[in-house]
Amino acid sequence: MSEKIYPVAVIGGGSAGTMAVLRTVLNNDETLFFPGSPKDKKKSRAFWVAKVDNMPGHQKYRKGIEEPNKESLDWLAKSEFSSIFHWHKNRGIKKIEKRIDNIFVLTDNQDFVYLAQYVILCTGVMDVQPHIQGSMDPVFPYANAQSIDYCLRCDGHHTLGKNTAIIGNGDGAAWVAIMLKERYNNPSMAVISHNNEGSFSDDVKALMTKYDIKYLDDEILEINGDRKSGTFSSFTLKNHGDYKCEFAFVSMGMIVYNELALSLNAEVDKRGFITTNPQGMSSVENFYAAGDIRAGFKKQIYTAWDMAVDSADDINRKLRAGRR
Ligand SMILES: Cc1cc2nc3c(=O)[nH]c(=O)nc-3n(C[C@H](O)[C@H](O)[C@H](O)COP(=O)(O)OP(=O)(O)OC[C@H]3O[C@@H](n4cnc5c(N)ncnc54)[C@H](O)[C@@H]3O)c2cc1C
């Protein structure tokens, strides 16, 4: 273990982590950067995002988060700030502790140990996936092509003119259906419970009736389409048979990657998102959260960037004040 205490460590290399390290390094604060192991990356949202339509300048990228992030990180690694940018490629953090002198002790997935004064946690979330006949494999070709999708604000516009279904069973799923119907007047709209019994509030039920949104309390047995192109035409449902549908959103909840925060006893809300002050600091002093993992913000690239900048700048403010 090196005894050197680095000013900042950024954990996570998606939208928030990349913006966080860009900001801390450009603020001239020496930074350890752990973008995650290949396993961490594969279970991140950044990895699964293909075309990004709702961010200016992003349409040229096939992978709208990973490609521009890599461009910026490669540039930073060659810039005049390279000596203070410690990019630990393919490394994730598996353990974090806080010493009595307030220094964080981080252990990576290769058991290397590092010390840092401030930490920005950007480990993100993952959408709960539907299992079709016990496996997620049938979903992947369509999730890759984003004809089965997870983010209404990012990809809702793709449903224009398409028979659409939402896989989910609560008010959240029903609201996705209602909003899509109100925005794009889809030819048909359904909420499919996929075998988890539905429960909707009265207001939501009334809107579902108004917009002719079907509720199908049923299990998806098959997705009928072209796995190569990722286009599909129907679901085979256990009780209702073939259900015509060309686009689906999954709205089954989120897994929040908050284990490191919980191990420090950081406060989280009832869904597991980390609660913070306006600058992004959690209930644990000098431990910040940015991106999807932080409570109370839109789950988007541009919000992740803004949160990351707020945290990096607050840390820089404290570091500057400490040196005065
Ligand atoms: C299908 C889909 C499409 C989307 N499309 C859009 C869009 O068009 N526009 C838009 O604005 N938003 C879009 N989003 C939302 C966007 O992906 C997220 O808001 C954004 O990725 C959040 O960034 P993040 O950094 O918080 O998390 P992620 O981007 O999920 O990054 C998490 C990072 O943490 C790392 N990590 C995890 N555990 C560890 C660990 N223990 N140690 C170190 N690193 C770790 C991972 O490797 C990864 O680098 C979409 C989401 C999905 C699912």
Side-chain angles (χ1 to χ4, degrees):
M1 171 175 129
S2 150
E3 283 302 316
K4 175 167 174 166
I5 299 170
Y6 292 86
V8 196
V10 172
I11 307 175
S15 300
T18 300
M19 181 54 97
V21 75
L22 194 60
R23 192 62 263 155
T24 56
V25 171
L26 295 181
N27 284 348
N28 212 10
D29 295 329
E30 188 164 10
T31 305
L32 295 162
F33 178 47
F34 305 97
S37 66
K39 210 170 145 200
D40 295 326
K41 278 186 207 158
K42 218 171 160 196
K43 58 181 193 141
S44 75
R45 289 183 107 193
F47 181 82
W48 292 101
V49 174
K51 274 231 165 212
V52 170
D53 292 342
N54 68 346
M55 297 267 305
H58 270 60
Q59 263 166 341
K60 63 182 179 215
Y61 298 108
R62 213 174 34 86
K63 293 200 83 174
I65 295 184
E66 293 217 321
E67 287 174 24
N69 279 0
K70 188 171 180 309
E71 278 177 15
S72 288
L73 294 169
D74 285 342
W75 168 77
L76 198 60
K78 289 192 204 119
S79 73
E80 61 271 49
F81 293 95
S82 60
S83 63
I84 60 159
F85 172 38
H86 303 287
W87 185 1
H88 295 270
K89 290 184 185 172
N90 293 322
R91 295 288 173 93
I93 295 299
K94 65 174 190 189
K95 189 170 145 200
I96 187 164
E97 288 166 309
K98 199 175 188 200
R99 288 195 323 208
I100 197 136
D101 60 356
N102 273 340
I103 296 300
F104 293 98
V105 184
L106 291 84
T107 308
D108 77 10
N109 56 317
Q110 312 254 335
D111 289 321
F112 287 94
V113 176
Y114 312 82
L115 303 177
Q117 267 178 285
Y118 295 90
V119 171
I120 309 178
L121 186 77
C122 309
T123 43
V125 306
M126 192 56 173
D127 305 85
V128 174
Q129 300 287 338
H131 285 67
I132 311 272
Q133 307 218 51
S135 165
M136 288 184 332
D137 292 350
V139 177
F140 288 142
Y142 306 100
N144 283 333
Q146 289 186 316
S147 54
I148 292 185
D149 210 293
Y150 303 83
C151 176
L152 160 78
R153 197 174 268 116
C154 318
D155 294 307
H157 56 285
H158 294 303
T159 68
L160 185 71
K162 294 198 176 85
N163 297 295
T164 303
I166 317 302
I167 305 170
N169 63 338
D171 275 358
W175 269 114
V176 175
I178 292 163
M179 282 173 69
L180 287 173
K181 189 76 190 171
E182 286 179 344
R183 282 183 182 166
Y184 307 109
N185 193 22
N186 314 84
S188 73
M189 179 64 72
V191 176
I192 304 176
S193 69
H194 195 45
N195 252 3
N196 297 298
E197 204 186 323
S199 160
F200 306 103
S201 60
D202 289 344
D203 292 359
V204 163
K205 274 190 210 154
L207 284 172
M208 287 171 80
T209 307
K210 178 177 163 89
Y211 294 132
D212 194 23
I213 296 169
K214 289 188 191 63
Y215 170 58
L216 302 169
D217 184 13
D218 210 338
E219 182 184 349
I220 301 168
L221 295 180
E222 223 170 315
I223 307 168
N224 304 303
D226 175 14
R227 290 172 64 89
K228 230 172 175 181
S229 67
T231 52
F232 69 100
S233 53
S234 67
F235 288 130
T236 303
L237 302 179
K238 195 172 183 178
N239 302 318
H240 293 81
D242 222 33
Y243 185 77
K244 194 175 166 196
C245 175
E246 295 113 19
F247 204 101
F249 278 95
V250 176
S251 183
M252 297 173 63
M254 282 175 178
I255 302 159
V256 186
Y257 297 133
N258 58 12
E259 303 84 358
L260 294 170
L262 293 179
S263 73
L264 290 171
N265 288 325
E267 278 171 20
V268 298
D269 69 11
K270 61 179 190 301
R271 295 173 67 200
F273 296 101
I274 300 170
T275 53
T276 68
N277 71 8
Q279 290 72 38
M281 193 175 81
S282 72
S283 60
V284 176
E285 204 183 349
N286 300 341
F287 185 74
Y288 289 72
D292 284 359
I293 197 168
R294 184 172 159 193
F297 287 83
K298 290 195 278 290
K299 312 281 175 238
Q300 293 278 277
I301 298 166
Y302 42 89
T303 40
W305 288 355
D306 199 35
M307 287 182 246
V309 169
D310 281 349
S311 295
D313 282 355
D314 197 49
I315 290 169
N316 177 259
R317 180 184 62 77
K318 290 180 180 173
L319 288 167
R320 283 185 292 108
R323 288 194 294 261
R324 262 174 219 151

